[in-house]
Amino acid sequence: MDRYGGRLLGHNGPWAAAVEVPGGRMRWLALTVGEVAWSPDDRRAAALRPCRSPRLTVLDAATGQPVGDPVDQAEGTLHWGMRGTEARLAVVTNDGGGVDVYDENGRHHCHLPIATTERNGRYFHDGQQRPWAWEPEGGSGACLTGDGRAEVWSLGDVPERIASLETPEGTEAVLWGAEGVLALVGARTLRFTHAFTGAVLGDFLFGRHFDAGRSPLDGDWTTLHGMFQTDVFPLADGSWCAIADPAAGAASALVIAGESRLGVRGRRPGRRPGRRPGLDR
């Protein structure tokens, strides 16, 4: 659906189309063959036809007609952004071939010699892979590389690489937020870093595998583990915490942790025979 709610824009297989809403009248249908991406302002569609000589075509989303001549373009993934009122297109090419940048009418602006990541989201089953992010103002872009970095480029009249940032292992997507902050996203990692200074603003690791060798709820704590049916999660390497389940009644505020992790909030019950240290509320 476009941002005004008047058209349904979409593509399926080799075709792209625009359908009026309500009513369902088809405004246009175009044979595009390959991947299609719609600009954020719903004014343009880019279609990349795969073949021995791949071709990029930019369409007017109001009519389905090309706005310029098709151009030769290596296969890759399509990423639209905005610079003011003008849309811009980045094509992250396959096999580390760099990034090509176009204006909204399909005119080539520049080629960025980036050793681009192989995780560029070219296939449906690749999930949330996103190798390119436009700065919200559209003057710069960031791209993931094959050797575990994110390169930041200024895209003025003369493109210039302005930063090369280390990324957490397994990073698959880069997003550009407000005030120059990049979010580097992996299956179990999340890092916030400043695009222009490289300062790391936050670094997080999720979904650690349960390690029985380090868990305080294994071995002689097995009975306690079964009694509370706990959800266990790491606080740091070698330090674990558990929340009682179900969290109801007397157990609603019960947390099980090591002595060094006990908080001062609330009352710590006295120890009774058979009670292990590390129970607190």
Side-chain angles (χ1 to χ4, degrees):
M1 187 74 68
D2 70 13
R3 55 181 175 168
Y4 302 110
R7 294 175 301 160
L8 183 63
L9 306 173
H11 62 277
N12 184 21
W15 299 94
V19 178
E20 286 187 352
V21 178
R25 185 176 73 88
M26 184 174 291
R27 286 194 178 184
W28 56 264
L29 178 69
L31 180 64
T32 53
V33 181
E35 179 185 1
V36 177
W38 304 87
S39 65
D41 60 359
D42 302 320
R43 295 175 52 247
R44 295 288 188 263
L48 184 55
R49 183 187 69 188
C51 58
R52 290 186 177 181
S53 299
R55 304 279 278 174
L56 175 71
T57 302
V58 176
L59 306 175
D60 185 329
T63 65
Q65 296 298 311
V67 295
D69 294 330
V71 296
D72 293 335
Q73 171 59 54
E75 291 186 53
T77 53
L78 308 175
H79 306 271
W80 283 102
M82 296 295 297
R83 186 174 189 179
T85 60
E86 181 183 358
R88 307 181 83 184
L89 176 69
V91 183
V92 180
T93 60
N94 300 344
D95 305 320
V99 179
D100 288 290
V101 179
Y102 294 84
D103 70 13
E104 65 176 20
N105 295 315
R107 291 188 293 262
H108 190 264
H109 172 60
C110 63
H111 175 79
L112 308 179
I114 302 172
T116 46
T117 177
E118 295 182 0
R119 298 175 172 178
N120 68 355
R122 73 185 80 172
Y123 301 119
F124 174 79
H125 61 262
D126 285 338
Q128 299 301 311
Q129 293 178 4
R130 188 172 180 84
W132 176 270
W134 283 101
E135 180 189 19
E137 290 77 16
S140 301
C143 186
L144 299 180
T145 70
D147 59 356
R149 296 176 295 111
E151 291 191 7
V152 180
W153 285 73
S154 173
L155 298 173
D157 293 336
V158 179
E160 179 184 5
R161 191 180 77 170
I162 54 179
S164 179
L165 312 173
E166 294 297 322
T167 66
E169 183 178 357
T171 296
E172 297 182 347
V174 57
L175 306 173
W176 198 313
E179 300 181 2
V181 176
L182 297 180
L184 303 168
V185 185
R188 295 192 294 151
T189 59
L190 176 61
R191 175 177 294 176
F192 296 99
T193 185
H194 196 280
F196 304 118
T197 68
V200 176
L201 309 175
D203 214 356
F204 306 94
L205 176 64
F206 304 98
R208 288 185 178 179
H209 293 294
F210 183 81
D211 186 344
R214 291 189 299 167
S215 172
L217 298 182
D218 195 57
D220 60 344
W221 290 76
T222 301
T223 301
L224 182 63
H225 186 281
M227 181 186 304
F228 290 104
Q229 301 176 12
T230 51
D231 290 322
V232 182
F233 57 91
L235 299 172
D237 288 343
S239 180
W240 294 75
C241 180
I243 301 175
D245 184 20
S252 61
L254 180 62
V255 175
I256 306 168
E259 289 280 358
S260 63
R261 291 285 179 174
L262 294 181
V264 297
R265 183 179 178 182
R267 178 181 62 85
R268 181 179 181 184
R271 298 180 185 173
R272 298 194 296 270
R275 188 163 193 170
R276 294 283 187 176
L279 297 180
D280 205 357
R281 292 190 175 209

